[in-house]
Amino acid sequence: MSTATVQEAPVTVAPARFMDRQRRLGVGVTLIGLVAAILFGALAPSQTARFTLSEDAQGAALSINGQFGAILFGVIAIAAGAVLLAGLLRRYQTTILVLGILAFVLSFLCWQVAGKFLPLVDTVSGSLELAVPLILGALAGVLGERSGVVNVAIEGQFLMGAFFAALVGTMATSVWAGLFSAALGGVLIAAILAVLAIRFLVDQVVVGIVLNLLALGITGFLYERLMQPDAQSYNEPPKMPEWRIPGLADIPVVGPVLFDTNLLVWLALILVFALHFGLTRSRWGLRTRAVGEHPTAADTVGIRVRGLRYLNVLIGGVIAGAGGAYFTLVSTGSFNKNMTAGAGFIALAALIFGRWTPFGALGAALFFGFAQKLATYLSVAGSPVPSQFLNMLPYLATIVAVAGLVGRVRGPAAAGQPYVKS
């Protein structure tokens, strides 16, 4: 009798937990679908919403009545929520969830774009460019936390990278010298983080915050003393060129976005694939994940725990420093005090929202970049929705993810825990 009880317990408990999660998802998607169908449908004017491939109102890829579209996509979101709530199509749960969220976004866009137009290529390209530093910063965080070191200093690495890119790029009149120097600036902060966290066992979160303040103070001081009085000699770096690949750049939508852009976009996307392959298919990746989950066990089989942590944190510093170069060599063309404006913390949020994986970080960063681009577009278009509300969406989504409402979110077990060899 007791044996039967032990055998049946896992069979009854696991589906119950699965259904609880799926019902939570179903309730959430159904609610946002109702908001879209009722609220957006009521507010949307009965005018045509045009989604164009060009940067003007010509060449519409999709034209739909704004009010009808808001209601239609809201109903699709409700249907997706109902499928989740009923426990159907369990194998496609993630796909249905994405479909429901996408339908909600399209319903919102039909409301906002009614009587106007939204340039798709410009929106997608702008979203990707805005996401580039977030992708690189999140990848730096993935390397650190997968090794067991929490990297809260991404903001400081961005700032130092941006400062050195502007300073050296101007003095050498070379964008490539600026990019190389940006990587060195990121490594400088990463090296201090690694020594204090790994060698001296200082609390990693505290060290990260202190390093952010240190980078803010140093770059701000040097900007006022050096760059501001003589910007022509120290703060006018050359802009990173955009490269066009003939043939591929002519592909509709995808071509202008991926094959007519700057090096940092390609670097960010290549690093996502490279790190995913490295973490899942290489000896280095296996050892990195072992060190981040159970360093004592890794040490017993001959893995140098501290050495691997040093290596990965420094590589992360190179990547984050290159992300800082985006602000001066691509975005603005000069350095300003605190110009990153918290982008490092947004990258940290993308890391968490992406579940500590390269592709997850890519998706979260693209979502954040899209929200920023959409906020800019709607503020120019005269939307009644304040841009601040759109800028809050990525953080709200991160809170929802971390709270476990879309599934369990757990970082590497040994992240933030200093290792002392016994």
Side-chain angles (χ1 to χ4, degrees), residues 90-164:
R90 297 181 183 179
R91 292 180 57 185
Y92 305 99
Q93 174 183 280
T94 302
T95 304
I96 296 170
L97 174 63
V98 172
L99 176 63
I101 296 174
L102 180 62
F104 174 80
V105 173
L106 290 174
S107 176
F108 175 78
L109 288 178
C110 285
W111 165 38
Q112 292 295 304
V113 182
K116 310 180 186 69
F117 71 96
L118 178 69
L120 293 177
V121 174
D122 179 68
T123 301
V124 175
S125 178
S127 300
L128 179 58
E129 282 210 4
L130 289 170
V132 164
L134 306 182
I135 296 171
L136 294 173
L139 291 179
V142 169
L143 277 173
E145 297 208 20
R146 283 289 187 178
S147 308
V149 179
V150 175
N151 187 359
V152 185
I154 299 173
E155 177 78 1
Q157 293 167 347
F158 276 172
L159 272 173
M160 293 296 283
F163 176 81
F164 277 106

Side-chain angles (χ1 to χ4, degrees), residues 251-283:
I251 301 173
V253 182
V254 177
V257 173
L258 294 180
F259 304 111
D260 188 7
T261 186
N262 60 75
L263 175 66
L264 284 179
V265 174
W266 295 340
L267 177 65
L269 296 178
I270 291 171
L271 282 174
V272 169
F273 287 91
L275 285 182
H276 172 76
F277 178 83
L279 287 172
T280 57
R281 295 287 187 270
S282 70
R283 178 182 297 179

Side-chain angles (χ1 to χ4, degrees), residues 14 21 24 43 87 89 117 120 161 249-250 263 291 304 328 366:
R21 175 173 178 261
R24 290 199 304 269
L43 294 175
L89 303 176
F117 71 96
L120 293 177
D250 297 325
L263 175 66
V291 167
R304 296 180 59 214
T328 49
L366 289 174

Side-chain angles (χ1 to χ4, degrees), residues 37 71 88 120 138 153 183 208 291 330 335 350 392:
I71 297 174
L88 304 175
L120 293 177
V291 167
V330 177
F335 181 81
M392 285 192 321

